């Protein structure tokens, strides 16, 4: 199961980086909708928060804080490396208690949280693609089966 999650995390990382490249693609940077940057910032902040929760660290990240475009690649890479390290050392069945950003208490397995990290990223990449289309920008194709044919 850990190898499968690692494969899914690599897929998610690859396409997050592809989106970030698109943000920095020549003159496109002037056309990128603000909402797309907000969504990607949110995605990266949320992954950092989940990494912190799994690791038992105190959270100091605002889930809706906007990152500068220049910070996105570094934030993505740091998140990815940290999630992979947590995946290596954690038991997927471990149940963990946490509070969401509204202070509500929950309990989930590490397995479910790692799946959520991947799914959450995929969900917001779809929203970013919609924002790109609204501006006449061709979004990246980020389907998992397409990724598997290339990697």
């Amino acid at each position: 199961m850990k190898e499968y999650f690692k494969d899914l995390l690599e897929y998610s990382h690859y396409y997050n980086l592809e989106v970030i490249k698109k943000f920095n693609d020549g003159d496109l940077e002037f056309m990128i909708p603000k909402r797309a940057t907000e969504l990607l910032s949110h995605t990266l902040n949320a992954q950092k928060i989940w990494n912190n929760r799994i690791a038992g660290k105190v959270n100091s990240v605002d889930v809706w804080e906007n990152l500068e475009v220049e910070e996105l690649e570094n934030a993505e890479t740091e998140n990815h490396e940290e999630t992979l390290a947590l995946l290596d050392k954690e038991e997927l069945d471990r149940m963990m208690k946490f509070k969401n950003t509204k202070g509500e208490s929950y309990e989930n397995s590490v397995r479910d949280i790692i799946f959520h990290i991947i799914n959450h990223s995929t969900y917001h990449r779809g929203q970013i693609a919609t924002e790109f289309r609204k501006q006449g920008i061709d979004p990246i194709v980020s389907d998992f089966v397409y990724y598997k044919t290339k990697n």
Side-chain angles (χ1 to χ4, degrees):
M1 182 61 80
K2 285 189 176 190
E3 285 303 311
Y4 182 64
F5 276 133
K6 183 178 179 184
D7 193 30
L8 292 175
L9 287 164
E10 293 294 341
Y11 150 75
S12 189
H13 176 60
Y14 177 85
Y15 281 118
N16 283 349
L17 289 176
E18 289 298 303
V19 169
I20 292 165
K21 283 181 196 172
K22 193 85 166 180
F23 279 28
N24 294 301
D25 187 10
D27 289 338
L28 280 183
E29 68 182 279
F30 300 108
M31 295 176 59
I32 299 297
K34 180 181 177 193
R35 183 68 180 149
T37 307
E38 292 169 351
L39 289 165
L40 188 56
S41 294
H42 166 74
T43 302
L44 300 177
N45 292 334
Q47 184 171 353
K48 181 67 174 173
I49 290 168
W50 284 113
N51 285 343
N52 286 342
R53 287 175 180 158
I54 293 170
K57 296 178 184 174
V58 175
N59 181 49
S60 61
V61 177
D62 175 358
V63 73
W64 285 106
E65 177 184 346
N66 286 325
L67 301 172
E68 297 295 326
V69 172
E70 300 79 28
E71 299 174 289
L72 295 172
E73 185 175 349
N74 188 48
E76 167 58 33
T77 300
E78 284 180 12
N79 279 342
H80 178 65
E81 290 171 0
E82 186 171 356
T83 307
L84 287 177
L86 289 166
L87 179 62
D88 280 343
K89 73 178 188 176
E90 287 288 335
E91 293 296 323
L92 294 177
D93 291 333
R94 179 173 76 86
M95 296 300 291
M96 48 177 284
K97 294 179 182 183
F98 60 92
K99 290 185 179 184
N100 67 9
T101 55
K102 297 175 185 173
E104 301 164 330
S105 296
Y106 293 92
E107 183 177 33
N108 286 96
S109 67
V110 171
R111 175 191 310 99
D112 289 345
I113 291 168
I114 290 177
F115 178 77
H116 172 74
I117 289 170
I118 297 160
N119 194 54
H120 185 250
S121 186
T122 302
Y123 172 76
H124 287 305
R125 278 195 307 273
Q127 289 181 309
I128 291 167
T130 299
E131 293 297 324
F132 278 16
R133 282 188 192 101
K134 286 179 186 176
Q135 289 298 114
I137 302 169
D138 290 330
I140 61 164
V141 176
S142 63
D143 296 331
F144 182 70
V145 292
Y146 180 72
Y147 169 79
K148 291 303 286 185
T149 62
K150 296 180 358 176
N151 297 299

